[in-house]
């Protein structure tokens, strides 16, 4: 199936980031590709840039060699659409740590074409990077799990912070943080939310089910909790001190960073050495683990808190995101609101 297929999306044409309608061409469905229509909804950039990396829909066409999916299946695509498939990481189902990953948008495919994301009516991706969507699991509310979900599920699992009875803290109660709380509670751990904002206490405890709440700017509160935590998932993407967080950890405690501050964090080395603590990072997850995460979320009814918006609201949504004016993720209803003009 050589050639291309016509598609409609919303694209940024320059560094301003303003999005507007664009007719473009995706690659036609290849032998091992799956094409699906949308059901809902970091660097140098190549323009036009069509973003979107938490994408769900229903299969409309499959390539001649596709074995895992059929037309009509519910599917999803996260942050990755390919990798080198030759390195040690790929062999271990860790495509997210491949030295040559191909991301869902603004990456270059082997044939030289640029990947376009999910702010469009159709999506085409290799079947090995497609996630099977569980039956009776909401696609609109569940879509953000393909990034926010795996970003928080993976460190909890891989650093052994998923054991019932452990005491885990989540720093930051935003798009990542609120999902981290839900997964940690589903694993059976005691969960404390740490925030700079006292106004989030009621939401954390009454709505999300957190067991405790700490205001990070209150020294007395933080001191009272010193040495009580087995692990911390730090979701904050703004510069912030980590010394107060280290003080909360038990010996052998782990601080896992999943937020990405623009400026480097200052690491107090003696706090690591003296109590044999660990500081590590984590970025999304491989395809196998992403499927595991979605299946776990469906089983335990873990869904992000979302606000549904239309495609033509996306620029306003971007402005609101910059002001943290959303609880907690926007989901774009592409299927019903995307127009070419």
């Amino acid at each position: 199936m050589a050639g291309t297929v016509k598609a409609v999306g919303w694209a940024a044409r320059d560094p301003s980031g303003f999005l507007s309608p664009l007719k473009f061409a995706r690659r036609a469905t290849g032998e091992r590709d799956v094409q699906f229509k949308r059901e809902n909804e970091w660097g140098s950039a190549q323009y036009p840039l069509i973003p979107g990396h938490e994408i769900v829909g229903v299969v409309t066409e499959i390539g001649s060699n596709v074995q895992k999916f059929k037309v009509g299946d519910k599917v999803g695509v996260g942050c990755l659409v390919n990798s080198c498939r030759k390195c040690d990481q790929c062999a271990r189902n860790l495509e997210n740590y491949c030295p040559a990953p191909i991301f869902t948008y603004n990456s270059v495919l082997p044939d030289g074409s640029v990947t376009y994301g999910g702010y469009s009516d159709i999506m085409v991706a290799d079947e090995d990077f497609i996630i099977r969507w569980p039956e009776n699991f909401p696609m609109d509310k569940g879509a953000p799990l393909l990034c926010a979900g795996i970003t928080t599920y993976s460190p909890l699992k891989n650093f052994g912070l998923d054991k019932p009875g452990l005491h885990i803290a989540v720093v930051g109660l935003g798009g990542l943080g609120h999902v981290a709380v839900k997964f940690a509670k589903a694993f059976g751990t005691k969960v404390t939310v740490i925030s700079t904002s006292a106004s989030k206490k009621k939401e954390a405890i009454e709505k999300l089910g957190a067991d405790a709440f700490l205001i990070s700017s209150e020294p007395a509160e933080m001191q009272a909790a010193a040495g009580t935590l087995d692990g911390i998932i730090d979701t904050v993407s703004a510069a912030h001190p980590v010394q107060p967080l280290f003080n909360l950890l038990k010996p052998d405690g782990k601080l896992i960073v999943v937020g990405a501050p623009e400026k480097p964090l200052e690491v107090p080395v003696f706090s690591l050495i003296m109590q044999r603590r660990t500081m590590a990072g984590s970025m999304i997850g491989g395809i196998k683990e992403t499927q595991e995460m979605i299946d776990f979320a469906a089983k335990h009814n873990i869904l992000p808190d979302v606000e549904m918006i239309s495609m033509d609201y996306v620029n306003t949504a971007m402005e609101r995101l910059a002001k943290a004016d959303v609880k907690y993720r926007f989901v774009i209803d592409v299927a019903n609101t995307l127009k070419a003009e």
Side-chain angles (χ1 to χ4, degrees), residues 137-339:
F137 192 51
M139 300 182 78
D140 49 1
K141 293 183 178 181
L145 291 172
L146 293 168
C147 180
I150 189 61
T151 296
T152 52
Y153 176 93
S154 182
L156 287 167
K157 291 286 288 187
N158 286 290
F159 291 96
L161 302 179
D162 59 338
K163 308 298 187 291
L166 293 181
H167 189 175
I168 309 301
V170 175
V171 187
L173 196 61
L176 292 177
H178 89 287
V179 177
V181 171
K182 294 186 178 189
F183 275 120
K185 288 298 294 183
F187 287 136
T189 70
K190 179 182 178 180
V191 180
T192 291
V193 169
I194 303 174
S195 175
T196 59
S197 177
S199 62
K200 293 187 176 182
K201 181 176 182 177
K202 183 177 181 180
E203 176 99 2
I205 293 177
E206 296 183 7
K207 185 174 182 179
L208 299 176
D211 300 283
F213 187 91
L214 291 174
I215 302 173
S216 58
S217 58
E218 293 290 339
E221 284 192 23
M222 297 291 280
Q223 181 58 39
T228 63
L229 299 177
D230 297 288
I232 300 174
I233 304 296
D234 186 349
T235 72
V236 176
S237 58
H240 60 287
V242 295
Q243 176 71 69
L245 302 179
F246 281 134
N247 293 343
L248 299 174
L249 291 170
K250 298 175 182 177
D252 292 319
K254 302 168 184 176
L255 171 62
I256 315 302
V257 178
V258 297
E262 182 179 353
K263 296 181 180 180
L265 296 176
E266 184 176 328
V267 179
V269 175
F270 275 100
S271 289
L272 290 174
I273 295 172
M274 300 304 289
Q275 296 292 312
R276 202 169 63 183
R277 293 162 173 149
T278 298
M279 182 177 184
S282 181
M283 184 187 76
I284 56 173
I287 303 305
K288 181 180 180 181
E289 188 177 43
T290 302
Q291 185 68 65
E292 175 189 293
M293 177 275 303
I294 284 289
D295 293 340
F296 181 90
K299 180 179 180 180
H300 295 272
N301 195 33
I302 296 171
L303 288 164
D305 295 348
V306 305
E307 179 181 335
M308 296 294 298
I309 64 171
S310 62
M311 190 72 247
D312 59 8
Y313 188 78
V314 66
N315 290 300
T316 300
M318 294 294 186
E319 294 174 358
R320 288 178 56 191
L321 275 175
K323 301 174 184 176
D325 179 24
V326 59
K327 288 187 176 179
Y328 286 99
R329 307 285 282 198
F330 287 118
V331 174
I332 305 171
D333 184 2
V334 172
N336 295 315
T337 65
L338 176 61
K339 299 177 182 178

Side-chain angles (χ1 to χ4, degrees), residues 38-225:
R38 295 300 311 281
E39 290 290 313
N40 81 330
E41 158 161 21
W42 248 301
S44 63
Q46 302 181 65
Y47 299 99
L49 184 155
I50 298 178
H53 65 279
E54 299 166 333
I55 312 160
V56 294
V58 176
V59 176
T60 55
E61 184 180 20
I62 60 174
S64 59
N65 290 342
V66 169
Q67 299 179 355
K68 301 177 183 178
F69 302 95
K70 64 182 186 301
V71 172
D73 284 349
K74 295 178 180 179
V75 296
V77 166
C79 302
L80 295 170
V81 292
N82 217 325
S83 64
C84 79
R85 310 194 191 209
K86 300 174 182 178
C87 67
D88 290 344
Q89 290 88 327
C90 287
R92 296 166 53 209
N93 298 307
L94 294 172
E95 301 91 349
N96 51 315
Y97 299 121
C98 171
I102 297 179
F103 295 105
T104 305
Y105 66 90
N106 200 40
S107 281
V108 179
L109 291 160
D111 64 4
S113 61
V114 176
T115 59
Y116 295 119
Y119 289 10
S120 61
D121 56 345
I122 62 171
M123 184 74 191
V124 178
D126 187 289
E127 67 169 333
D128 290 341
F129 288 78
I130 299 281
I131 303 302
R132 181 176 299 279
W133 201 260
E135 284 298 321
N136 302 316
F137 192 51
M139 300 182 78
D140 49 1
K141 293 183 178 181
L145 291 172
L146 293 168
C147 180
I150 189 61
T151 296
T152 52
Y153 176 93
S154 182
L156 287 167
K157 291 286 288 187
N158 286 290
F159 291 96
L161 302 179
D162 59 338
K163 308 298 187 291
L166 293 181
H167 189 175
I168 309 301
V170 175
V171 187
L173 196 61
L176 292 177
H178 89 287
V179 177
V181 171
K182 294 186 178 189
F183 275 120
K185 288 298 294 183
F187 287 136
T189 70
K190 179 182 178 180
V191 180
T192 291
V193 169
I194 303 174
S195 175
T196 59
S197 177
S199 62
K200 293 187 176 182
K201 181 176 182 177
K202 183 177 181 180
E203 176 99 2
I205 293 177
E206 296 183 7
K207 185 174 182 179
L208 299 176
D211 300 283
F213 187 91
L214 291 174
I215 302 173
S216 58
S217 58
E218 293 290 339
E221 284 192 23
M222 297 291 280
Q223 181 58 39

